[in-house]
Structure formats: C-alpha cells, structure tokens
Amino acid sequence: MSFPALYGGNTCLDFANTVDARGADPREEHLHDYADLVRWAAYANLLDEPATRHLRTLATARPQAAQASFAAALTLREAIFRVFAGLHAGTPPAPADLTLIQQGYAAALSTARLEQRGDQFVWTLPADHLHRAWWPAAVAAAKLLTTGPVTRVKVCASTGGCRGLFLDTSKNNSRRWCSMDDCGTEAKIRRQATRRRRPRNG
C-alpha cells in the first residue's frame, strides 16, 4: 500500500492528510493499524531505520499498548485536521482539540533530549516509546500554531472532496490545490470542458 504524497509542507499537515478525500464518500484511510503508522512515519522521514525496527519489535512485544498508541495517534490526527481546517474557514479551534495537541507536545518534550549537532542544538525523541511514531506530528502542530504562519495553512480547493491541508509558501499566497499534478490538473480539465461546452449551449 502506498501513502499519499507529502504535499502538506509541514509534518502535522502531512499526518492529517493520511486520510484522502475527506469530503467524499467513501474517504480513503491509509492508516489501519500501528504497523501502518510506523511505516508512514518512516516514509515521512520521522524515523530512521534503527528506530523503525525498534518500534516494530516493541509493538510485537506489546500489542495492546501498540493498539492504544495507534488509537491515540488517530485521535490526535483528527484534532489536527479540525483545528487547521477550521482556522482556514475562520472557525476558532475547539478547546478540546487544542488540549489534545498540547498534551501530545508536552508528553513528547518531557522525554526528549537536548543534543548538539554541529553548530545547532536540537531536541531528539527516544526510540523506545510507542508514541515516538506520532509525537513529531504533535510537536509540529504546536509549533505551527504558536509560531505560524497559521494564515498560510489552506484546504485544497478541489470540488471533488479532497480536503487536503497544505502550507502555502507561494510569494503571493495564491496556491489553491494540494497538488497541481492531481487536484489542480483535474480542476483545469473541468474548466476547459466547461469552456468547450459553452458555445454549443449558446
């Protein structure tokens, strides 16, 4: 099974986008269990190979805990989507959703280590906790909310039900689609078809 492209421009937005076509019926779920979650985290470069192997071993040894961690991950993912999609629509976030992000962020940093890498200092998360697979999304969501640019987070303008989240980094803040190769191309084809029909209907 392949995962959707990482078009969000931010870890938390890419995490929210692990559900495709949120506005369609049926929508497409890409995460079905903890193993999928770990595979996605590796795909998104949130886990290196040793950490990926360790989490898989840990999940095999503790299946109930892995399932609980997976459930917590999906709960966080949906909160992230509601918060940022709502902000794009001008709707204030629900306090409960902000609390979920806050708790994930606080739990991640409570186990993180401050390390020096070259001339920089970074927080590194331990690989021996099942939540390690989704903690980076909580950290990214909290940082995006507190440092921005929140106003650059958009929902794909596709009328086909995409609802993908992305960070618009264009100079004039004009990006409308999750990807020009997908929803953008579909919209262009629809516009061209509409223009071709107009003379015949006139």
Side-chain angles (χ1 to χ4, degrees), residues 121-155:
F121 290 86
V122 297
W123 289 106
T124 61
L125 296 172
D128 57 353
H129 198 297
L130 288 164
H131 292 357
R132 173 65 179 83
W134 56 267
W135 267 340
V139 172
K143 288 184 176 179
L144 183 55
L145 285 170
T146 55
T147 64
V150 174
T151 56
R152 287 273 182 158
V153 177
K154 295 183 178 179
V155 178

PDB file of all heavy atoms in Angstrom, residues 121-155:
ATOM      1  N   PHE A 121      21.635  23.099  18.218  1.00  0.00           N
ATOM      2  CA  PHE A 121      21.110  22.282  19.308  1.00  0.00           C
ATOM      3  C   PHE A 121      19.690  21.865  18.936  1.00  0.00           C
ATOM      4  O   PHE A 121      18.881  22.684  18.506  1.00  0.00           O
ATOM      5  CB  PHE A 121      21.121  23.060  20.631  1.00  0.00           C
ATOM      6  CG  PHE A 121      22.501  23.300  21.159  1.00  0.00           C
ATOM      7  CD1 PHE A 121      23.231  24.407  20.739  1.00  0.00           C
ATOM      8  CD2 PHE A 121      23.076  22.410  22.046  1.00  0.00           C
ATOM      9  CE1 PHE A 121      24.516  24.625  21.219  1.00  0.00           C
ATOM     10  CE2 PHE A 121      24.362  22.613  22.524  1.00  0.00           C
ATOM     11  CZ  PHE A 121      25.083  23.734  22.106  1.00  0.00           C
ATOM     12  N   VAL A 122      19.400  20.588  19.100  1.00  0.00           N
ATOM     13  CA  VAL A 122      18.098  20.060  18.679  1.00  0.00           C
ATOM     14  C   VAL A 122      17.534  19.153  19.765  1.00  0.00           C
ATOM     15  O   VAL A 122      18.266  18.593  20.590  1.00  0.00           O
ATOM     16  CB  VAL A 122      18.221  19.259  17.354  1.00  0.00           C
ATOM     17  CG1 VAL A 122      18.677  20.164  16.224  1.00  0.00           C
ATOM     18  CG2 VAL A 122      19.165  18.070  17.527  1.00  0.00           C
ATOM     19  N   TRP A 123      16.201  19.029  19.744  1.00  0.00           N
ATOM     20  CA  TRP A 123      15.521  18.069  20.596  1.00  0.00           C
ATOM     21  C   TRP A 123      15.451  16.737  19.852  1.00  0.00           C
ATOM     22  O   TRP A 123      15.058  16.697  18.692  1.00  0.00           O
ATOM     23  CB  TRP A 123      14.108  18.530  20.928  1.00  0.00           C
ATOM     24  CG  TRP A 123      14.025  19.699  21.854  1.00  0.00           C
ATOM     25  CD1 TRP A 123      13.707  20.978  21.526  1.00  0.00           C
ATOM     26  CD2 TRP A 123      14.241  19.683  23.268  1.00  0.00           C
ATOM     27  NE1 TRP A 123      13.715  21.771  22.637  1.00  0.00           N
ATOM     28  CE2 TRP A 123      14.046  21.006  23.729  1.00  0.00           C
ATOM     29  CE3 TRP A 123      14.597  18.698  24.181  1.00  0.00           C
ATOM     30  CZ2 TRP A 123      14.188  21.360  25.061  1.00  0.00           C
ATOM     31  CZ3 TRP A 123      14.732  19.052  25.517  1.00  0.00           C
ATOM     32  CH2 TRP A 123      14.529  20.368  25.944  1.00  0.00           C
ATOM     33  N   THR A 124      15.836  15.663  20.503  1.00  0.00           N
ATOM     34  CA  THR A 124      15.706  14.337  19.896  1.00  0.00           C
ATOM     35  C   THR A 124      14.774  13.493  20.756  1.00  0.00           C
ATOM     36  O   THR A 124      14.851  13.504  21.983  1.00  0.00           O
ATOM     37  CB  THR A 124      17.060  13.615  19.783  1.00  0.00           C
ATOM     38  OG1 THR A 124      17.633  13.437  21.095  1.00  0.00           O
ATOM     39  CG2 THR A 124      18.025  14.422  18.927  1.00  0.00           C
ATOM     40  N   LEU A 125      13.871  12.770  20.097  1.00  0.00           N
ATOM     41  CA  LEU A 125      12.899  11.936  20.797  1.00  0.00           C
ATOM     42  C   LEU A 125      13.425  10.522  20.939  1.00  0.00           C
ATOM     43  O   LEU A 125      14.077  10.004  20.028  1.00  0.00           O
ATOM     44  CB  LEU A 125      11.567  11.927  20.028  1.00  0.00           C
ATOM     45  CG  LEU A 125      10.856  13.271  19.916  1.00  0.00           C
ATOM     46  CD1 LEU A 125       9.675  13.161  18.963  1.00  0.00           C
ATOM     47  CD2 LEU A 125      10.396  13.735  21.288  1.00  0.00           C
ATOM     48  N   PRO A 126      13.161   9.863  22.058  1.00  0.00           N
ATOM     49  CA  PRO A 126      13.658   8.496  22.261  1.00  0.00           C
ATOM     50  C   PRO A 126      12.941   7.510  21.353  1.00  0.00           C
ATOM     51  O   PRO A 126      11.769   7.684  21.014  1.00  0.00           O
ATOM     52  CB  PRO A 126      13.331   8.222  23.736  1.00  0.00           C
ATOM     53  CG  PRO A 126      12.130   9.073  24.005  1.00  0.00           C
ATOM     54  CD  PRO A 126      12.327  10.322  23.192  1.00  0.00           C
ATOM     55  N   ALA A 127      13.657   6.473  20.962  1.00  0.00           N
ATOM     56  CA  ALA A 127      13.076   5.462  20.067  1.00  0.00           C
ATOM     57  C   ALA A 127      12.441   4.312  20.837  1.00  0.00           C
ATOM     58  O   ALA A 127      11.975   3.348  20.228  1.00  0.00           O
ATOM     59  CB  ALA A 127      14.152   4.917  19.133  1.00  0.00           C
ATOM     60  N   ASP A 128      12.410   4.399  22.163  1.00  0.00           N
ATOM     61  CA  ASP A 128      11.922   3.272  22.964  1.00  0.00           C
ATOM     62  C   ASP A 128      10.529   3.531  23.529  1.00  0.00           C
ATOM     63  O   ASP A 128      10.131   2.933  24.517  1.00  0.00           O
ATOM     64  CB  ASP A 128      12.895   2.953  24.095  1.00  0.00           C
ATOM     65  CG  ASP A 128      13.151   4.136  25.012  1.00  0.00           C
ATOM     66  OD1 ASP A 128      12.669   5.247  24.677  1.00  0.00           O
ATOM     67  OD2 ASP A 128      13.818   3.959  26.041  1.00  0.00           O
ATOM     68  N   HIS A 129       9.777   4.398  22.881  1.00  0.00           N
ATOM     69  CA  HIS A 129       8.399   4.676  23.308  1.00  0.00           C
ATOM     70  C   HIS A 129       7.494   4.528  22.092  1.00  0.00           C
ATOM     71  O   HIS A 129       7.783   5.070  21.019  1.00  0.00           O
ATOM     72  CB  HIS A 129       8.296   6.084  23.889  1.00  0.00           C
ATOM     73  CG  HIS A 129       7.070   6.302  24.722  1.00  0.00           C
ATOM     74  ND1 HIS A 129       5.789   6.219  24.205  1.00  0.00           N
ATOM     75  CD2 HIS A 129       6.924   6.587  26.041  1.00  0.00           C
ATOM     76  CE1 HIS A 129       4.909   6.448  25.164  1.00  0.00           C
ATOM     77  NE2 HIS A 129       5.575   6.683  26.288  1.00  0.00           N
ATOM     78  N   LEU A 130       6.391   3.819  22.233  1.00  0.00           N
ATOM     79  CA  LEU A 130       5.493   3.579  21.114  1.00  0.00           C
ATOM     80  C   LEU A 130       4.944   4.869  20.512  1.00  0.00           C
ATOM     81  O   LEU A 130       4.679   4.940  19.310  1.00  0.00           O
ATOM     82  CB  LEU A 130       4.336   2.670  21.553  1.00  0.00           C
ATOM     83  CG  LEU A 130       4.713   1.198  21.792  1.00  0.00           C
ATOM     84  CD1 LEU A 130       3.612   0.489  22.581  1.00  0.00           C
ATOM     85  CD2 LEU A 130       4.958   0.492  20.467  1.00  0.00           C
ATOM     86  N   HIS A 131       4.787   5.890  21.328  1.00  0.00           N
ATOM     87  CA  HIS A 131       4.270   7.165  20.819  1.00  0.00           C
ATOM     88  C   HIS A 131       5.280   7.893  19.922  1.00  0.00           C
ATOM     89  O   HIS A 131       4.920   8.879  19.274  1.00  0.00           O
ATOM     90  CB  HIS A 131       3.895   8.088  21.965  1.00  0.00           C
ATOM     91  CG  HIS A 131       2.709   7.632  22.773  1.00  0.00           C
ATOM     92  ND1 HIS A 131       1.987   6.508  22.476  1.00  0.00           N
ATOM     93  CD2 HIS A 131       2.130   8.181  23.888  1.00  0.00           C
ATOM     94  CE1 HIS A 131       1.010   6.357  23.358  1.00  0.00           C
ATOM     95  NE2 HIS A 131       1.069   7.363  24.221  1.00  0.00           N
ATOM     96  N   ARG A 132       6.506   7.393  19.888  1.00  0.00           N
ATOM     97  CA  ARG A 132       7.539   8.040  19.075  1.00  0.00           C
ATOM     98  C   ARG A 132       7.116   8.160  17.615  1.00  0.00           C
ATOM     99  O   ARG A 132       7.547   9.066  16.898  1.00  0.00           O
ATOM    100  CB  ARG A 132       8.841   7.238  19.180  1.00  0.00           C
ATOM    101  CG  ARG A 132       9.969   7.683  18.257  1.00  0.00           C
ATOM    102  CD  ARG A 132      10.452   9.064  18.603  1.00  0.00           C
ATOM    103  NE  ARG A 132      11.541   9.480  17.743  1.00  0.00           N
ATOM    104  CZ  ARG A 132      11.388  10.005  16.528  1.00  0.00           C
ATOM    105  NH1 ARG A 132      10.178  10.163  16.024  1.00  0.00           N
ATOM    106  NH2 ARG A 132      12.436  10.377  15.823  1.00  0.00           N
ATOM    107  N   ALA A 133       6.248   7.257  17.147  1.00  0.00           N
ATOM    108  CA  ALA A 133       5.826   7.271  15.743  1.00  0.00           C
ATOM    109  C   ALA A 133       4.970   8.488  15.410  1.00  0.00           C
ATOM    110  O   ALA A 133       4.962   8.939  14.258  1.00  0.00           O
ATOM    111  CB  ALA A 133       5.071   5.985  15.409  1.00  0.00           C
ATOM    112  N   TRP A 134       4.237   9.023  16.395  1.00  0.00           N
ATOM    113  CA  TRP A 134       3.341  10.154  16.097  1.00  0.00           C
ATOM    114  C   TRP A 134       3.630  11.417  16.908  1.00  0.00           C
ATOM    115  O   TRP A 134       3.070  12.481  16.602  1.00  0.00           O
ATOM    116  CB  TRP A 134       1.882   9.748  16.292  1.00  0.00           C
ATOM    117  CG  TRP A 134       1.509   9.192  17.642  1.00  0.00           C
ATOM    118  CD1 TRP A 134       1.485   7.876  18.010  1.00  0.00           C
ATOM    119  CD2 TRP A 134       1.073   9.923  18.792  1.00  0.00           C
ATOM    120  NE1 TRP A 134       1.059   7.744  19.315  1.00  0.00           N
ATOM    121  CE2 TRP A 134       0.802   8.990  19.821  1.00  0.00           C
ATOM    122  CE3 TRP A 134       0.873  11.281  19.048  1.00  0.00           C
ATOM    123  CZ2 TRP A 134       0.360   9.346  21.086  1.00  0.00           C
ATOM    124  CZ3 TRP A 134       0.423  11.665  20.325  1.00  0.00           C
ATOM    125  CH2 TRP A 134       0.180  10.695  21.318  1.00  0.00           C
ATOM    126  N   TRP A 135       4.515  11.328  17.886  1.00  0.00           N
ATOM    127  CA  TRP A 135       4.855  12.533  18.633  1.00  0.00           C
ATOM    128  C   TRP A 135       5.329  13.687  17.746  1.00  0.00           C
ATOM    129  O   TRP A 135       4.995  14.851  18.007  1.00  0.00           O
ATOM    130  CB  TRP A 135       5.914  12.218  19.685  1.00  0.00           C
ATOM    131  CG  TRP A 135       5.332  11.875  21.021  1.00  0.00           C
ATOM    132  CD1 TRP A 135       4.078  12.160  21.491  1.00  0.00           C
ATOM    133  CD2 TRP A 135       6.001  11.178  22.075  1.00  0.00           C
ATOM    134  NE1 TRP A 135       3.927  11.687  22.769  1.00  0.00           N
ATOM    135  CE2 TRP A 135       5.088  11.093  23.160  1.00  0.00           C
ATOM    136  CE3 TRP A 135       7.265  10.633  22.219  1.00  0.00           C
ATOM    137  CZ2 TRP A 135       5.406  10.465  24.361  1.00  0.00           C
ATOM    138  CZ3 TRP A 135       7.600  10.015  23.414  1.00  0.00           C
ATOM    139  CH2 TRP A 135       6.672   9.932  24.471  1.00  0.00           C
ATOM    140  N   PRO A 136       6.131  13.435  16.691  1.00  0.00           N
ATOM    141  CA  PRO A 136       6.568  14.570  15.859  1.00  0.00           C
ATOM    142  C   PRO A 136       5.407  15.377  15.276  1.00  0.00           C
ATOM    143  O   PRO A 136       5.541  16.587  15.076  1.00  0.00           O
ATOM    144  CB  PRO A 136       7.389  13.894  14.754  1.00  0.00           C
ATOM    145  CG  PRO A 136       7.910  12.636  15.386  1.00  0.00           C
ATOM    146  CD  PRO A 136       6.791  12.170  16.268  1.00  0.00           C
ATOM    147  N   ALA A 137       4.287  14.735  14.997  1.00  0.00           N
ATOM    148  CA  ALA A 137       3.136  15.462  14.470  1.00  0.00           C
ATOM    149  C   ALA A 137       2.554  16.399  15.521  1.00  0.00           C
ATOM    150  O   ALA A 137       2.142  17.526  15.211  1.00  0.00           O
ATOM    151  CB  ALA A 137       2.065  14.481  13.990  1.00  0.00           C
ATOM    152  N   ALA A 138       2.520  15.947  16.767  1.00  0.00           N
ATOM    153  CA  ALA A 138       2.028  16.807  17.847  1.00  0.00           C
ATOM    154  C   ALA A 138       2.949  18.001  18.057  1.00  0.00           C
ATOM    155  O   ALA A 138       2.481  19.140  18.230  1.00  0.00           O
ATOM    156  CB  ALA A 138       1.907  15.996  19.139  1.00  0.00           C
ATOM    157  N   VAL A 139       4.248  17.751  18.021  1.00  0.00           N
ATOM    158  CA  VAL A 139       5.225  18.835  18.180  1.00  0.00           C
ATOM    159  C   VAL A 139       5.095  19.837  17.040  1.00  0.00           C
ATOM    160  O   VAL A 139       5.077  21.054  17.251  1.00  0.00           O
ATOM    161  CB  VAL A 139       6.654  18.265  18.241  1.00  0.00           C
ATOM    162  CG1 VAL A 139       7.685  19.391  18.219  1.00  0.00           C
ATOM    163  CG2 VAL A 139       6.836  17.416  19.500  1.00  0.00           C
ATOM    164  N   ALA A 140       4.974  19.327  15.820  1.00  0.00           N
ATOM    165  CA  ALA A 140       4.857  20.213  14.655  1.00  0.00           C
ATOM    166  C   ALA A 140       3.585  21.043  14.712  1.00  0.00           C
ATOM    167  O   ALA A 140       3.582  22.229  14.348  1.00  0.00           O
ATOM    168  CB  ALA A 140       4.896  19.384  13.372  1.00  0.00           C
ATOM    169  N   ALA A 141       2.475  20.431  15.155  1.00  0.00           N
ATOM    170  CA  ALA A 141       1.210  21.158  15.248  1.00  0.00           C
ATOM    171  C   ALA A 141       1.302  22.291  16.268  1.00  0.00           C
ATOM    172  O   ALA A 141       0.841  23.422  16.020  1.00  0.00           O
ATOM    173  CB  ALA A 141       0.079  20.204  15.603  1.00  0.00           C
ATOM    174  N   ALA A 142       1.881  22.000  17.422  1.00  0.00           N
ATOM    175  CA  ALA A 142       2.019  23.030  18.454  1.00  0.00           C
ATOM    176  C   ALA A 142       2.902  24.174  17.976  1.00  0.00           C
ATOM    177  O   ALA A 142       2.600  25.354  18.202  1.00  0.00           O
ATOM    178  CB  ALA A 142       2.589  22.407  19.732  1.00  0.00           C
ATOM    179  N   LYS A 143       3.998  23.840  17.291  1.00  0.00           N
ATOM    180  CA  LYS A 143       4.894  24.885  16.797  1.00  0.00           C
ATOM    181  C   LYS A 143       4.239  25.717  15.701  1.00  0.00           C
ATOM    182  O   LYS A 143       4.420  26.939  15.658  1.00  0.00           O
ATOM    183  CB  LYS A 143       6.188  24.249  16.281  1.00  0.00           C
ATOM    184  CG  LYS A 143       7.092  23.716  17.391  1.00  0.00           C
ATOM    185  CD  LYS A 143       8.406  23.190  16.840  1.00  0.00           C
ATOM    186  CE  LYS A 143       9.326  22.753  17.967  1.00  0.00           C
ATOM    187  NZ  LYS A 143      10.613  22.223  17.447  1.00  0.00           N
ATOM    188  N   LEU A 144       3.482  25.067  14.827  1.00  0.00           N
ATOM    189  CA  LEU A 144       2.812  25.814  13.760  1.00  0.00           C
ATOM    190  C   LEU A 144       1.775  26.762  14.346  1.00  0.00           C
ATOM    191  O   LEU A 144       1.622  27.894  13.877  1.00  0.00           O
ATOM    192  CB  LEU A 144       2.162  24.835  12.781  1.00  0.00           C
ATOM    193  CG  LEU A 144       1.473  25.435  11.544  1.00  0.00           C
ATOM    194  CD1 LEU A 144       2.429  26.327  10.760  1.00  0.00           C
ATOM    195  CD2 LEU A 144       0.931  24.323  10.659  1.00  0.00           C
ATOM    196  N   LEU A 145       1.068  26.306  15.373  1.00  0.00           N
ATOM    197  CA  LEU A 145       0.064  27.165  15.995  1.00  0.00           C
ATOM    198  C   LEU A 145       0.692  28.349  16.727  1.00  0.00           C
ATOM    199  O   LEU A 145       0.143  29.452  16.733  1.00  0.00           O
ATOM    200  CB  LEU A 145      -0.783  26.344  16.970  1.00  0.00           C
ATOM    201  CG  LEU A 145      -1.812  25.401  16.345  1.00  0.00           C
ATOM    202  CD1 LEU A 145      -2.402  24.477  17.401  1.00  0.00           C
ATOM    203  CD2 LEU A 145      -2.924  26.182  15.643  1.00  0.00           C
ATOM    204  N   THR A 146       1.843  28.124  17.343  1.00  0.00           N
ATOM    205  CA  THR A 146       2.435  29.167  18.184  1.00  0.00           C
ATOM    206  C   THR A 146       3.400  30.079  17.439  1.00  0.00           C
ATOM    207  O   THR A 146       3.601  31.227  17.831  1.00  0.00           O
ATOM    208  CB  THR A 146       3.166  28.546  19.390  1.00  0.00           C
ATOM    209  OG1 THR A 146       4.141  27.595  18.924  1.00  0.00           O
ATOM    210  CG2 THR A 146       2.184  27.845  20.313  1.00  0.00           C
ATOM    211  N   THR A 147       3.998  29.571  16.369  1.00  0.00           N
ATOM    212  CA  THR A 147       4.974  30.394  15.646  1.00  0.00           C
ATOM    213  C   THR A 147       4.552  30.693  14.215  1.00  0.00           C
ATOM    214  O   THR A 147       5.179  31.516  13.551  1.00  0.00           O
ATOM    215  CB  THR A 147       6.358  29.725  15.628  1.00  0.00           C
ATOM    216  OG1 THR A 147       6.294  28.490  14.890  1.00  0.00           O
ATOM    217  CG2 THR A 147       6.833  29.432  17.049  1.00  0.00           C
ATOM    218  N   GLY A 148       3.500  30.031  13.741  1.00  0.00           N
ATOM    219  CA  GLY A 148       2.973  30.305  12.412  1.00  0.00           C
ATOM    220  C   GLY A 148       3.830  29.739  11.286  1.00  0.00           C
ATOM    221  O   GLY A 148       4.779  28.981  11.530  1.00  0.00           O
ATOM    222  N   PRO A 149       3.461  30.098  10.051  1.00  0.00           N
ATOM    223  CA  PRO A 149       2.380  31.031   9.699  1.00  0.00           C
ATOM    224  C   PRO A 149       1.026  30.328   9.541  1.00  0.00           C
ATOM    225  O   PRO A 149       0.764  29.702   8.518  1.00  0.00           O
ATOM    226  CB  PRO A 149       2.838  31.597   8.350  1.00  0.00           C
ATOM    227  CG  PRO A 149       3.620  30.462   7.730  1.00  0.00           C
ATOM    228  CD  PRO A 149       4.234  29.697   8.862  1.00  0.00           C
ATOM    229  N   VAL A 150       0.179  30.437  10.558  1.00  0.00           N
ATOM    230  CA  VAL A 150      -1.120  29.773  10.539  1.00  0.00           C
ATOM    231  C   VAL A 150      -1.983  30.260   9.382  1.00  0.00           C
ATOM    232  O   VAL A 150      -2.730  29.481   8.780  1.00  0.00           O
ATOM    233  CB  VAL A 150      -1.843  30.000  11.888  1.00  0.00           C
ATOM    234  CG1 VAL A 150      -3.251  29.437  11.833  1.00  0.00           C
ATOM    235  CG2 VAL A 150      -1.065  29.339  13.013  1.00  0.00           C
ATOM    236  N   THR A 151      -1.853  31.537   9.038  1.00  0.00           N
ATOM    237  CA  THR A 151      -2.682  32.089   7.965  1.00  0.00           C
ATOM    238  C   THR A 151      -2.315  31.520   6.595  1.00  0.00           C
ATOM    239  O   THR A 151      -3.052  31.726   5.626  1.00  0.00           O
ATOM    240  CB  THR A 151      -2.559  33.619   7.911  1.00  0.00           C
ATOM    241  OG1 THR A 151      -1.174  33.973   7.770  1.00  0.00           O
ATOM    242  CG2 THR A 151      -3.119  34.239   9.180  1.00  0.00           C
ATOM    243  N   ARG A 152      -1.196  30.819   6.528  1.00  0.00           N
ATOM    244  CA  ARG A 152      -0.775  30.210   5.260  1.00  0.00           C
ATOM    245  C   ARG A 152      -1.269  28.767   5.115  1.00  0.00           C
ATOM    246  O   ARG A 152      -1.022  28.134   4.097  1.00  0.00           O
ATOM    247  CB  ARG A 152       0.738  30.245   5.155  1.00  0.00           C
ATOM    248  CG  ARG A 152       1.295  31.632   4.883  1.00  0.00           C
ATOM    249  CD  ARG A 152       1.323  31.908   3.399  1.00  0.00           C
ATOM    250  NE  ARG A 152       1.882  33.213   3.067  1.00  0.00           N
ATOM    251  CZ  ARG A 152       2.390  33.513   1.876  1.00  0.00           C
ATOM    252  NH1 ARG A 152       2.427  32.600   0.925  1.00  0.00           N
ATOM    253  NH2 ARG A 152       2.837  34.721   1.622  1.00  0.00           N
ATOM    254  N   VAL A 153      -1.929  28.244   6.129  1.00  0.00           N
ATOM    255  CA  VAL A 153      -2.472  26.887   6.043  1.00  0.00           C
ATOM    256  C   VAL A 153      -3.802  26.948   5.293  1.00  0.00           C
ATOM    257  O   VAL A 153      -4.683  27.734   5.635  1.00  0.00           O
ATOM    258  CB  VAL A 153      -2.681  26.275   7.439  1.00  0.00           C
ATOM    259  CG1 VAL A 153      -3.319  24.890   7.313  1.00  0.00           C
ATOM    260  CG2 VAL A 153      -1.344  26.170   8.173  1.00  0.00           C
ATOM    261  N   LYS A 154      -3.931  26.110   4.270  1.00  0.00           N
ATOM    262  CA  LYS A 154      -5.131  26.119   3.441  1.00  0.00           C
ATOM    263  C   LYS A 154      -5.681  24.710   3.267  1.00  0.00           C
ATOM    264  O   LYS A 154      -4.991  23.715   3.514  1.00  0.00           O
ATOM    265  CB  LYS A 154      -4.824  26.721   2.068  1.00  0.00           C
ATOM    266  CG  LYS A 154      -4.422  28.188   2.106  1.00  0.00           C
ATOM    267  CD  LYS A 154      -4.206  28.724   0.705  1.00  0.00           C
ATOM    268  CE  LYS A 154      -3.860  30.199   0.703  1.00  0.00           C
ATOM    269  NZ  LYS A 154      -3.626  30.705  -0.675  1.00  0.00           N
ATOM    270  N   VAL A 155      -6.926  24.669   2.826  1.00  0.00           N
ATOM    271  CA  VAL A 155      -7.583  23.414   2.452  1.00  0.00           C
ATOM    272  C   VAL A 155      -7.688  23.384   0.937  1.00  0.00           C
ATOM    273  O   VAL A 155      -8.046  24.389   0.312  1.00  0.00           O
ATOM    274  CB  VAL A 155      -8.988  23.321   3.080  1.00  0.00           C
ATOM    275  CG1 VAL A 155      -9.686  22.033   2.644  1.00  0.00           C
ATOM    276  CG2 VAL A 155      -8.903  23.377   4.597  1.00  0.00           C
TER     277      VAL A 155
END
